[in-house]
Amino acid sequence: MVRRVLALPSGRIAVAVLTVIALLAVLGPLIAPQNPLATSDDTLATASGAHWLGTDYLGRDVFSRLLDGSRVSVLGSLEVALTALVVGVLPGILSVQLGRAFEWITLRLTDTLVALPFLLFAVAVVALLGNGITQAMLVTGVLVSPLFYRVSRAATLTVARSQYVEAALISGASVGWVVRRHLWVKVLPPIAVALAQTVGVGFVIVSSLTFLGIGVQPPAPTWGGLLASDLGYLGQQPWAPFTPALLIVVTVWACNVLADAVRDVSGEAGRALLNNRRARRNRLDQAGPAPAGGAS
């Protein structure tokens, strides 16, 4: 699937953008040219050789704070997506295999989670357990998990009544073996699409919470926190919110483009794409090399 995604121009662009964001998360705090928490008297300065993106209202280097804050944004969004993946996928698959009682219970729990506003619920959990990005993202991931539950359940339903699955069950295979051997391969592509989309949703959630000062308290830098502080000084630096907002928008856009690329190369659409490429390659091979032009 990875090669199919990279064969698409949109897939290559999305992977390239997300790779840059991942490198920022890993190397950003290490390559920041200045201490992101160090203040100075040079407040609200414009871009210069010493401060590539200027300074904020406390004289802190904006570029260094963006680099240092990238790790929190990336790790928070991944925490949301992976928590939702773990909580939602297995119950979604097993709801088709373990009978009506388990199915009814998981469906009711899913309906309950869907009814809860995840942003307000995350704020409430932070108020109860203390301000921290980890607990806020874990709770948010649980509230987002119905997406994975429904995707995995729908994908499982399409193959659960197949003859080869029924033959495996009749021959005495366990539910776990059937899930690993037959169902997981069919469920994986739509889960990959949902995972890419959820990472983008996680970026929006992390940015929203940190914009409100929830999860990570100032002066620790985050993209959402930088955006919030820059909005207070639009009169002096009207361009300041552009960079953190652009990083958030581009990252979410790349996640959505990657999700579309995975969807395009999986299932029936993926097989049709491969068949079209093979047919085009065969036509080019049959045509042969073009004759040399011009008379000698």
Side-chain angles (χ1 to χ4, degrees), residues 86-115 142-154 156-157:
V86 172
V87 173
V89 169
L90 188 59
I93 296 175
L94 295 180
S95 66
V96 182
Q97 298 293 319
L98 295 185
R100 293 295 181 88
F102 185 81
E103 179 184 25
W104 186 88
I105 293 172
T106 54
L107 284 173
R108 299 295 77 77
L109 288 174
T110 301
D111 293 339
T112 302
L113 292 176
V114 170
V142 172
L143 296 178
V144 177
S145 62
L147 169 64
F148 287 91
Y149 175 87
R150 290 175 173 176
V151 168
S152 59
R153 174 177 165 78
T156 305
L157 282 172

Side-chain angles (χ1 to χ4, degrees), residues 59-102:
R60 297 171 297 194
D61 184 62
V62 174
F63 181 66
S64 299
R65 289 178 64 77
L66 279 173
L67 292 177
D68 190 71
S70 58
R71 179 170 297 177
V72 174
S73 300
V74 172
L75 291 180
S77 62
L78 291 177
E79 191 174 350
V80 171
L82 294 178
T83 301
L85 175 70
V86 172
V87 173
V89 169
L90 188 59
I93 296 175
L94 295 180
S95 66
V96 182
Q97 298 293 319
L98 295 185
R100 293 295 181 88
F102 185 81

Side-chain angles (χ1 to χ4, degrees), residues 247-262:
L247 285 173
I248 296 171
V249 170
V250 168
T251 304
V252 176
W253 171 81
C255 291
N256 292 332
V257 171
L258 180 60
D260 291 339
V262 174

Side-chain angles (χ1 to χ4, degrees), residues 166-181:
E166 293 182 350
L169 293 173
I170 292 173
S171 64
S174 64
V175 173
W177 188 89
V178 171
V179 170
R180 292 193 306 269
R181 182 66 179 84

Side-chain angles (χ1 to χ4, degrees), residues 149-226:
Y149 175 87
R150 290 175 173 176
V151 168
S152 59
R153 174 177 165 78
T156 305
L157 282 172
T158 61
V159 296
R161 301 296 179 261
S162 301
Q163 292 181 354
Y164 58 87
V165 173
E166 293 182 350
L169 293 173
I170 292 173
S171 64
S174 64
V175 173
W177 188 89
V178 171
V179 170
R180 292 193 306 269
R181 182 66 179 84
H182 294 300
L183 298 182
W184 181 248
V185 177
K186 301 295 184 180
V187 174
L188 185 58
I191 288 178
V193 175
L195 182 63
Q197 291 177 334
T198 307
V199 172
V201 172
F203 265 96
V204 175
I205 294 172
V206 173
S207 302
S208 301
L209 291 175
T210 53
F211 181 86
L212 298 173
I214 299 169
V216 178
Q217 286 281 14
T222 59
W223 290 354
L226 287 171

